Amino acid sequence: MSTTQHEGFDLSQIPGLAAQLRVDSIRSSTSAGSGHPTSSMSAVDLLATLMSRHLRYDWDSPEAPGNDHLVFSKGHASPLLYAVYKAAGVVSDQELMNGYRRFDERLEGHPTPVLPWVDVATGSLGQGLPDAVGIALSGKYLEKSPYRVWVLCGDSEMAEGSMWEALDKASHYGLTNLVTIVDVNRLGQRGPTDLGWDLESYQRRVEAFGARAVVIDGHDIAQIDHALAEADGDLDKPLVILAKTVKGKGFSEVEDADGWHGKPLPQDKAEKAIAELGGESNLLVRGPAAPHIDRPEPTVGTASMPTFEKGEGVATRKAYGAALAALGDADPRVVALDGEVSNSTGTGTFVDEHPERFFEMFIAEQQMVAAATGLSTRGHIAFASSFAAFLTRAADFIRMAPVSRVDLRMVGSHAGVEIGADGPSQMGLEDLALFAATQGSTVLYPADGTSTAALVQQMAETSGVSYMRTTRGEYPGLYEAGEEFPLGGSKTLVSSENDDVTLIGAGVTLHEALSAAATLAEQGTRARVIDAYSIKPIDVEGISAAVEATGGRVVVAEDHHAEGGLGAAVLAGLASAPITDLHLAHLAVDGVPGSGTSAELLDWAGIDAAHIASAARSLLEG
């Protein structure tokens, strides 16, 4: 074994480093009994050249603002990434051999930010490059920092549309600080990839999306070095390096051989491969230093939030826009993204007042969520909005946000059948379930302008994934300005000491519940009305107390499918409460709606005031 420190490798030294990275990729995965050594081995020469000569990074200070960023979109090549960390001296050989893919260890099967050198979690293919676009946007437009964002991609994931959304937006925003390296090793999990080694087709596609494509032999160190050096030049387009490589490169028995994807080498083959590669070594390598950058703490003021009069008609989507703009006035960290519907979601107010902190993602919801994820890693408070229905396109990106440990703030407008004549393709009826199922999430559904503004401010201060659902139509204000809306709370709008039934709504159905309560009162029935503006966490204590006070009789109405929404949250909360005699009617949207007025569709779905009142009477008669 050799142990040597190198500062500024020359080309002749890179093969030795590459051999070590290949050996360590094999050793770690064989020791773990699982992993992707062959997928790692194809990209070794690319990473050896990058880390030793081009990656400007202070390994002892991963938070240094001048550091470049390295994103493994090809997250299954984690043996290579961790071998790089060992070569940089930040992961020990012992940890590499005994910590990889083991329970309660930080070298997980796919990279996550539990490691301080990892920005975003990858492994769900098609996400690393889109997330990197957000990091590059921050560097170029917000931080105005000279750091570069290097992304290693696999050729299999180039079949994902999200990768081309990313290149399209990178080109649109002129992200010359973003360098994409595609490891074109021809073989995927079950056989050849879509394009195999057709580098000309890859080049045409990359260029069609407005980026600069450079085709190289991914095992020719001089070619790799020359291509990576283009990032130091005066680029006018994002750079994409298309590297033709061989899967399993370095061990003749598995090179370009099908059937080895995701399989560690058995011990006997591992020993043979290590011998063929020249044995184990412990080179310590650090490339060029990161430039020193001062990133002063932002000056944050106190937001002057918009106020709305009680009884004033306002669409909560418009109140959201006003509240977001007010937050932007006070806090320079607040940024906004939208999916080309900002004039409908309410974000247009922020665009008018803070255009330098707004990023239009057009009709590319996956890229919108990914860019918000990348921006969040750089300390920005990013709000991303679109129609609630369209956010479901980005479900996997939302799912990965907790794995990346990012704060993601999403707002979905035009929810439910309430939107009316646009019809079912525009109606978000699954959004609450999507976000409620996301780990550690917060799900909010305000019913008026005052609660909306208060909850937008709460979102800005809340960690994890938070989601707000807003309505298209205008509804009267229910609360006085200054009312507080704590997360996990609810509001009782109508009550007496002798109520007969509890009505629970959120958003549009809260207004219907209030109308139903008025109708029931005229008929001699006293209804308690609860605003469940916080769907997750739900107000277990407050709702349980109301239901118990009304003899276990409760009607829940929601403009959402029955599964995973408000009703599911209430039932889950009541399941933990000591209510032995529960009589619950759950009114939700069932079936595929059509076009119509809001009133017609609420009636069709059985969630309007008349149906709520009818359900309450049925409970009392039962």
Side-chain angles (χ1 to χ4, degrees), residues 195-225:
L195 293 178
W197 277 326
D198 184 357
L199 277 297
E200 290 184 2
S201 290
Y202 278 117
Q203 181 176 8
R204 287 196 300 270
R205 294 182 184 190
V206 166
E207 291 173 347
F209 278 85
R212 169 164 166 71
V214 177
V215 177
I216 62 170
D217 177 344
H219 301 303
D220 185 312
I221 301 301
Q223 287 189 36
I224 296 170
D225 188 64

Side-chain angles (χ1 to χ4, degrees), residues 301-321:
T302 301
S304 178
M305 301 302 286
T307 57
F308 304 91
E309 297 295 327
K310 190 173 182 179
E312 176 187 359
V314 63
T316 55
R317 61 191 173 109
K318 299 296 186 182
Y320 158 67

Side-chain angles (χ1 to χ4, degrees), residues 483-530:
E483 183 87 13
E484 294 184 354
F485 293 82
L487 303 185
S490 66
K491 295 289 184 181
T492 302
L493 290 170
V494 178
S495 68
S496 72
E497 293 183 359
N498 299 295
D499 291 328
D500 301 304
V501 62
T502 296
L503 310 180
I504 300 176
V508 62
T509 59
L510 176 63
H511 295 276
E512 297 297 323
L514 289 167
S515 296
T519 298
L520 289 168
E522 293 173 357
Q523 299 166 353
T525 297
R526 295 177 297 274
R528 184 168 299 191
V529 180
I530 303 291

Side-chain angles (χ1 to χ4, degrees), residues 119-278:
D119 291 291
V120 291
T122 55
S124 182
L125 293 178
Q127 295 206 22
L129 180 59
D131 289 349
V133 167
I135 300 172
L137 284 171
S138 177
K140 178 168 183 173
Y141 291 101
L142 301 175
E143 298 175 72
K144 297 182 175 17
S145 172
Y147 67 69
R148 288 86 61 87
V149 187
W150 307 88
V151 188
L152 177 67
C153 304
D155 49 353
S156 286
E157 68 178 329
M158 299 306 288
E160 290 279 7
S162 58
M163 301 294 279
W164 302 100
E165 284 186 10
L167 285 179
D168 177 63
K169 300 306 169 289
S171 299
H172 175 77
Y173 282 104
L175 299 182
T176 53
N177 56 344
L178 177 68
V179 182
T180 304
I181 306 168
V182 185
D183 177 19
V184 186
N185 66 24
R186 190 185 75 83
L187 290 173
Q189 178 165 331
R190 54 145 300 278
T193 57
D194 184 16
L195 293 178
W197 277 326
D198 184 357
L199 277 297
E200 290 184 2
S201 290
Y202 278 117
Q203 181 176 8
R204 287 196 300 270
R205 294 182 184 190
V206 166
E207 291 173 347
F209 278 85
R212 169 164 166 71
V214 177
V215 177
I216 62 170
D217 177 344
H219 301 303
D220 185 312
I221 301 301
Q223 287 189 36
I224 296 170
D225 188 64
H226 186 267
L228 294 174
E230 290 206 23
D232 296 322
D234 189 18
L235 292 171
D236 60 353
K237 297 178 180 180
L239 176 62
V240 178
I241 298 170
L242 299 165
K244 181 181 179 181
T245 63
V246 176
K247 198 163 187 172
K249 179 69 173 178
F251 181 36
S252 55
E253 288 191 23
V254 300
E255 285 186 355
D256 194 33
D258 200 1
W260 281 101
H261 182 91
K263 295 179 181 178
L265 299 184
Q267 187 63 42
D268 60 336
K269 285 190 180 295
E271 292 173 358
K272 190 174 180 180
I274 291 169
E276 185 175 325
L277 287 161

Side-chain angles (χ1 to χ4, degrees), residues 185-544:
N185 66 24
R186 190 185 75 83
L187 290 173
Q189 178 165 331
R190 54 145 300 278
T193 57
D194 184 16
L195 293 178
W197 277 326
D198 184 357
L199 277 297
E200 290 184 2
S201 290
Y202 278 117
Q203 181 176 8
R204 287 196 300 270
R205 294 182 184 190
V206 166
E207 291 173 347
F209 278 85
R212 169 164 166 71
V214 177
V215 177
I216 62 170
D217 177 344
H219 301 303
D220 185 312
I221 301 301
Q223 287 189 36
I224 296 170
D225 188 64
H226 186 267
L228 294 174
E230 290 206 23
D232 296 322
D234 189 18
L235 292 171
D236 60 353
K237 297 178 180 180
L239 176 62
V240 178
I241 298 170
L242 299 165
K244 181 181 179 181
T245 63
V246 176
K247 198 163 187 172
K249 179 69 173 178
F251 181 36
S252 55
E253 288 191 23
V254 300
E255 285 186 355
D256 194 33
D258 200 1
W260 281 101
H261 182 91
K263 295 179 181 178
L265 299 184
Q267 187 63 42
D268 60 336
K269 285 190 180 295
E271 292 173 358
K272 190 174 180 180
I274 291 169
E276 185 175 325
L277 287 161
E280 298 178 27
S281 63
N282 290 288
L283 295 172
L284 295 177
V285 180
R286 296 194 175 186
H292 177 74
I293 301 294
D294 288 322
R295 192 184 185 196
E297 289 295 319
T299 301
V300 179
T302 301
S304 178
M305 301 302 286
T307 57
F308 304 91
E309 297 295 327
K310 190 173 182 179
E312 176 187 359
V314 63
T316 55
R317 61 191 173 109
K318 299 296 186 182
Y320 158 67
L324 182 62
L327 285 180
D329 291 341
D331 192 339
R333 297 172 299 171
V334 175
V335 300
L337 306 93
D338 201 273
E340 204 191 297
V341 286
S342 59
N343 58 339
S344 292
T345 60
T347 312
T349 306
F350 186 94
V351 180
D352 292 340
E353 297 186 18
H354 305 287
E356 76 286 354
R357 283 186 269 145
F358 171 72
F359 298 103
E360 177 63 80
M361 290 294 118
F362 302 96
I363 306 298
E365 289 82 5
Q366 292 183 103
Q367 182 54 61
M368 180 181 73
V369 176
T373 297
L375 288 162
S376 177
T377 70
R378 301 304 300 153
H380 305 294
I381 300 173
F383 283 79
S385 57
S386 185
F387 286 14
F390 305 152
L391 295 178
T392 59
R393 294 175 179 167
D396 191 33
F397 287 78
I398 295 164
R399 177 187 70 86
M400 286 293 289
V403 186
S404 286
R405 280 79 166 171
V406 296
D407 301 333
L408 192 62
R409 299 167 178 90
M410 307 291 300
V411 177
S413 69
H414 293 66
V417 301
E418 183 266 349
I419 71 168
D422 277 349
S425 69
Q426 312 297 296
M427 296 173 178
L429 292 166
E430 308 83 11
D431 54 313
L432 296 178
L434 166 64
F435 284 96
T438 301
Q439 173 60 37
S441 62
T442 300
V443 181
L444 307 168
Y445 191 7
D448 78 340
T450 296
S451 56
T452 300
L455 291 172
V456 169
Q457 191 164 24
Q458 289 268 35
M459 289 173 73
E461 301 166 358
T462 300
S463 60
V465 176
S466 55
Y467 174 63
M468 175 181 285
R469 193 185 216 221
T470 62
T471 51
R472 180 180 190 176
E474 292 186 358
Y475 294 90
L478 303 174
Y479 301 103
E480 299 287 352
E483 183 87 13
E484 294 184 354
F485 293 82
L487 303 185
S490 66
K491 295 289 184 181
T492 302
L493 290 170
V494 178
S495 68
S496 72
E497 293 183 359
N498 299 295
D499 291 328
D500 301 304
V501 62
T502 296
L503 310 180
I504 300 176
V508 62
T509 59
L510 176 63
H511 295 276
E512 297 297 323
L514 289 167
S515 296
T519 298
L520 289 168
E522 293 173 357
Q523 299 166 353
T525 297
R526 295 177 297 274
R528 184 168 299 191
V529 180
I530 303 291
D531 177 3
Y533 64 83
S534 179
I535 294 175
K536 182 186 178 185
I538 195 77
D539 182 7
V540 175
E541 183 178 351
I543 289 174
S544 297

Side-chain angles (χ1 to χ4, degrees), residues 577-597:
I579 298 175
T580 57
D581 191 21
L582 178 64
H583 305 276
L584 184 144
H586 182 196
L587 309 184
V589 180
D590 186 18
V592 178
S595 293
T597 64

Side-chain angles (χ1 to χ4, degrees), residues 47-69:
L47 265 294
T49 309
L50 174 62
M51 78 162 294
S52 62
R53 291 175 59 83
H54 300 277
L55 183 71
R56 304 184 307 214
Y57 202 88
D58 183 347
W59 290 98
D60 297 320
S61 301
E63 298 300 322
N67 282 347
D68 283 355
H69 297 264

